[in-house]
């Protein structure tokens, strides 16, 4: 059962971004003045497989059973340009080979580990938000200014706050026995549970994790379009509830606060979908098996370096033809504009 937000959460931001920073801090807690670095703002968004708060009925209906490893199976580096007129979203495949910086403390055991190779999604399970941020910064050379974690419960509740649901469109049937996804050709709107089935699916189209990432990009583009169409960005009550649900109450080092999310929404409310771009980091192919890490994905060093250099320089992503083709056909680097991903 989803409970409504506290009454103070609905009333406090009546004037929203016209409020003084002190009033916002009182209403939402945490930092208020979101930084605006000269080279742009970087937010690391991770989606974990935590089932905390998910009911038994939801697990059965949406095929969410099993135990999560608290791994960050979704990892997106979001760069907002200094002028707030462009947003670049670069996904990092969960099986990417990375070096976990050391020494760090393993949260579940208290053991101290030196740096070691691992799949990039193991960073969160091993060392939480702090190690995840440090790992991504080391791998990309990008400074992460804020961190946002979204688990299954938070994802479903956030999508359910979008009136009428989020459109999903497909030109071919999509059926995944693992997640229960079963979509016919065409467009339909979904709520949080079905949306989660869609963004988790990697067996519906034969494109594995790379296809799943592209589904996530399409879902985000359509969710943002619905938020814009429903005028949520201009409705203080709805926006406050949406950001509070997305952010949750968990604290983390460099975690973005609800008030900062409101500030970010204000900066981007006039940014056209065509000014959003989505891509997966360039991938070379699969690595030889690495002890302790298993089968991993290797980035294309030159292509990835160019992508991250562009972000550091606050420039658009390089075009597809500027990056060498991947040995994995479905792992193609092909930046997509936000407008091209929106369902007709």
């Amino acid at each position: 059962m989803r409970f409504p937000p506290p009454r103070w959460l609905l009333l406090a931001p009546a004037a929203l971004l016209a409020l003084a920073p002190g009033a916002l801090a009182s209403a939402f807690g945490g930092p208020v003045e979101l930084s605006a670095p000269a080279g742009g703002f970087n937010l690391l968004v991770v989606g974990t497989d935590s089932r905390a708060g998910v009911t038994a009925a939801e697990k059965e209906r949406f095929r969410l059973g099993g135990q999560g490893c608290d791994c960050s199976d979704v990892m997106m580096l979001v760069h907002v340009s200094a002028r707030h007129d462009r947003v670049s979203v670069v996904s990092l495949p969960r099986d990417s080979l990375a070096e976990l910086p050391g020494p760090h403390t393993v949260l579940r055991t208290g053991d101290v580990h030196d740096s070691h190779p691992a799949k990039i999604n193991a960073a969160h399970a091993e060392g939480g938000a702090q190690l995840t941020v440090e790992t991504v910064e080391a791998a990309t050379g990008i400074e992460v200014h804020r961190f946002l974690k979204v688990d299954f419960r938070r994802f479903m509740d956030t999508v359910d706050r979008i009136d009428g649901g989020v459109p999903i469109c497909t030109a071919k049937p999509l059926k995944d026995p693992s997640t229960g996804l079963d979509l016919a050709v065409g467009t339909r709107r979904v709520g949080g549970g079905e949306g989660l089935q869609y963004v988790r699916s990697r067996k519906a189209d034969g494109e594995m994790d790379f296809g799943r990432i592209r589904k996530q990009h399409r879902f985000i583009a359509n969710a943002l379009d619905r938020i814009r169409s429903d005028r949520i960005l201009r409705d203080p009550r709805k926006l406050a509830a949406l950001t509070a649900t997305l952010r949750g109450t968990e604290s983390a080092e460099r975690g973005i606060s609800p008030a900062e999310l409101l500030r970010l929404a204000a900066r981007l409310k006039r940014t056209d979908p065509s000014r959003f771009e989505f891509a997966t980091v360039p991938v070379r192919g699969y690595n030889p098996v690495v002890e302790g890490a298993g089968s991993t994905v290797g980035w294309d060093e030159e292509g990835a370096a160019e992508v991250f250099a562009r972000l550091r320089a606050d420039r658009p992503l390089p075009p597809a033809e500027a990056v060498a083709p991947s040995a994995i056909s479905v792992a193609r680097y092909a930046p997509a504009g936000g407008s091209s991903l929106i369902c007709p």
Side-chain angles (χ1 to χ4, degrees), residues 225-246:
D225 186 59
R226 283 292 303 135
I227 289 170
R228 180 187 299 273
S229 300
D230 197 35
R231 308 183 75 83
I232 291 176
L233 291 176
R234 299 182 184 277
D235 185 320
R237 182 183 65 84
K238 287 185 177 181
L239 183 57
L242 184 74
T243 55
T245 302
L246 177 63

Side-chain angles (χ1 to χ4, degrees), residues 193-210:
E194 289 180 293
L196 186 59
Q197 288 177 305
Y198 179 74
V199 300
R200 291 183 64 225
S201 174
R202 58 191 179 95
K203 297 181 179 180
D205 51 18
E207 297 188 355
M208 305 174 290
D209 195 39
F210 306 103

